[in-house]
Amino acid sequence: MAEENTIKKPTTSHNFTHKYGDPWIWGIFIALMIISVIENYSASSVLVSSKGIFTPIIKHTAFLLVGVGITTFVARRDYYKPGFILLSVPVLSAFTVLTLVYVRFFGAIVNGARRAINIAGVSFQPAELAKVSIVTVLAYVLARNQEKNGLSNKGLLIAIVIVALYAAPMIQSGLTNCLLLGAICLTMILIGGSSLKKLAIVGLAVGFIMGMGWLVKSCGDDNDETLRNAEAAKTEQVDVASKEPVSEMEEVFGNNEKKANDGDVNRWAMRMDRVIKWWYNDSLVYWPIDDKNSQEMFSRMAQAHGGVVGVGVGGNREGARLPLAFSDYIYSIIIEETGLVGGIIVLVLYLSLLGRATIIVRKCKRAWPSLIIIGIASAITFQALFHMAINTGVFPVSGQPLPLISAGGTSVLVMSLAFGIMLSVSRTISIVNKSNKNKEEEPEIELPEGLDAENLTQITPKNVWK
């Protein structure tokens, strides 16, 4: 009788988790979607002027609804089933790498770089998919290469090769994406039981790969520029008097934003230009606003205008002037409308996702699910932090959407897939822990051979769900 009294009845929260996944993750997912609808409608002044009042928000809401369907469908799948593993690891990774390579050479040019594949009028950006794909494949590799004391050297080497394969096609068109992949990789290797020494080796290897890529690309750009200048000198005489006047800023910083013959911007020169201007960003206050600094200047104006509590939803002033206010700079509009308070709330939502994932990981028995959920949570949180850092001037200017809030079909759908995978893992773990908590026999979850390594970060061997 006493033993029966010790068995607690499952709460509504537990029942929800067993059916649909962790309610905290669902809550964060829904909160981000609500913010997305409100802020995208408010920040789409430029799109409204060309496409109509309701067209942009209807399109964005449609992507969000499809995203909800993807999240719900994936959340109901069992992460340990062979079919799930087949689709999420080899199929997804092969598709991602192939599309990245295709985009590198034949992709559509977006904002001065080859980033997308246009299919029936819909733009697909493989770099967004890579943020989830690399998590699943790294989780698989790290889980299969666990030793008694942590990650094996073989697993570490394979992880470095995987990161190189993903980063190589993106290193010219999206340096911040490469940095983001590196941060995700280091986090997963640390959670996977790697020593600080091995972690340092990975960091040096990633830095070496990026350094060599920069060196090779810089030499190629210099040679191309020399040939283009020589050809131009042979075919025409340049009238010095007819040259466009050079601005004061270009005299100080130079102008590295040159285009090749195919319209693709010289990305390396442009990045150096942005880094130099970012390093001396205080001087931007004294320069007239032009095409080169309009993003930084208008985003700072928006944040300054918002103050502590903001000007109110829909009352933004800079949405009509700030380039890409609905995507790459939507955080500035959020701060303008809701102030510092609203900006902190959005930040806390992403940090809470990572915190909740950490709690689930510490209750996981196996390395495979723990690596998946912490890897995806890290990818979403790091991307959000990158976006916020760029908007606030902590990082140089670059394009990085705010997960689930910024407009963009590929980003919304990929982030919905990411949340679905996290919910799938949390739901399955909850079912196992329910039997542990009620002192019942643990149901057997047969992981494929090699994926049953123990999670070295779990708090207790009983793996009790809380």
Side-chain angles (χ1 to χ4, degrees), residues 48-68:
V48 166
S49 63
S50 60
K51 298 183 179 180
I53 297 177
F54 298 108
T55 301
I57 193 61
I58 290 175
K59 180 179 178 181
H60 181 65
T61 304
F63 276 118
L64 290 176
L65 292 176
V66 174
V68 171

Side-chain angles (χ1 to χ4, degrees), residues 152-221:
S152 67
N153 293 332
K154 176 185 175 182
L156 182 66
L157 180 61
I158 296 175
I160 294 174
V161 172
I162 290 172
V163 175
L165 286 175
Y166 275 78
M170 295 192 296
I171 199 165
Q172 182 181 5
S173 61
L175 185 59
T176 51
N177 285 328
C178 295
L179 295 175
L180 183 58
L181 294 184
I184 296 169
C185 175
L186 292 175
T187 301
M188 294 185 65
I189 290 176
L190 181 62
I191 297 298
S194 176
S195 64
L196 293 178
K197 180 180 178 180
K198 292 181 179 179
L199 203 62
I201 293 174
V202 174
L204 291 174
V206 172
F208 175 78
I209 292 171
M210 294 185 65
M212 291 300 295
W214 175 85
L215 182 62
V216 172
K217 186 64 179 63
S218 297
C219 294
D221 287 340

Side-chain angles (χ1 to χ4, degrees), residues 253-272:
F253 295 117
N255 180 17
N256 291 322
E257 296 190 14
K258 300 176 181 179
K259 292 186 178 181
N261 295 330
D262 59 356
D264 197 359
V265 172
N266 185 339
R267 305 296 298 177
W268 291 101
M270 185 183 69
R271 286 172 189 147
M272 292 302 298

Side-chain angles (χ1 to χ4, degrees), residues 19 24 47 56 75 107 129 136 149 160 165 176 204 208 217 260 351 354-355 362 376 380 410 457:
K19 292 182 179 180
W24 289 89
L47 296 179
L129 185 60
T136 59
N149 297 323
I160 294 174
L165 286 175
T176 51
L204 291 174
F208 175 78
K217 186 64 179 63
L351 294 179
L354 183 60
R362 298 298 294 272
I376 291 178
I380 296 172
T410 305
T457 63

Side-chain angles (χ1 to χ4, degrees), residues 19-21 26 29 64-79 83-84 87-88 413 416-425 427-428:
K19 292 182 179 180
Y20 306 107
W26 270 113
F29 177 72
L64 290 176
L65 292 176
V66 174
V68 171
I70 292 174
T71 301
T72 305
F73 176 80
V74 176
R76 297 291 292 170
R77 311 278 77 77
D78 296 328
Y79 75 91
F84 188 99
L87 291 176
S88 64
L413 298 181
S416 299
L417 172 64
F419 271 89
I421 295 174
M422 292 179 67
L423 290 166
S424 171
V425 174
R427 180 184 62 82
T428 311

Side-chain angles (χ1 to χ4, degrees), residues 58-167:
I58 290 175
K59 180 179 178 181
H60 181 65
T61 304
F63 276 118
L64 290 176
L65 292 176
V66 174
V68 171
I70 292 174
T71 301
T72 305
F73 176 80
V74 176
R76 297 291 292 170
R77 311 278 77 77
D78 296 328
Y79 75 91
Y80 58 87
K81 293 294 180 65
F84 188 99
I85 296 174
L86 176 65
L87 291 176
S88 64
V89 180
V91 173
L92 184 62
S93 61
F95 175 78
T96 303
V97 172
L98 289 175
T99 52
L100 285 172
V101 173
Y102 176 85
V103 166
R104 172 63 186 86
F105 297 101
F106 309 106
I109 296 177
V110 179
N111 295 329
R114 297 189 183 278
R115 305 177 188 270
I117 300 174
N118 291 327
I119 304 174
V122 178
S123 178
F124 168 70
Q125 298 191 21
E128 296 299 319
L129 185 60
K131 299 167 187 175
V132 174
S133 174
I134 196 171
V135 170
T136 59
V137 69
L138 280 178
Y140 182 84
V141 169
L142 298 179
R144 288 187 64 89
N145 290 276
Q146 291 290 316
E147 295 179 341
K148 185 176 182 180
N149 297 323
L151 181 64
S152 67
N153 293 332
K154 176 185 175 182
L156 182 66
L157 180 61
I158 296 175
I160 294 174
V161 172
I162 290 172
V163 175
L165 286 175
Y166 275 78

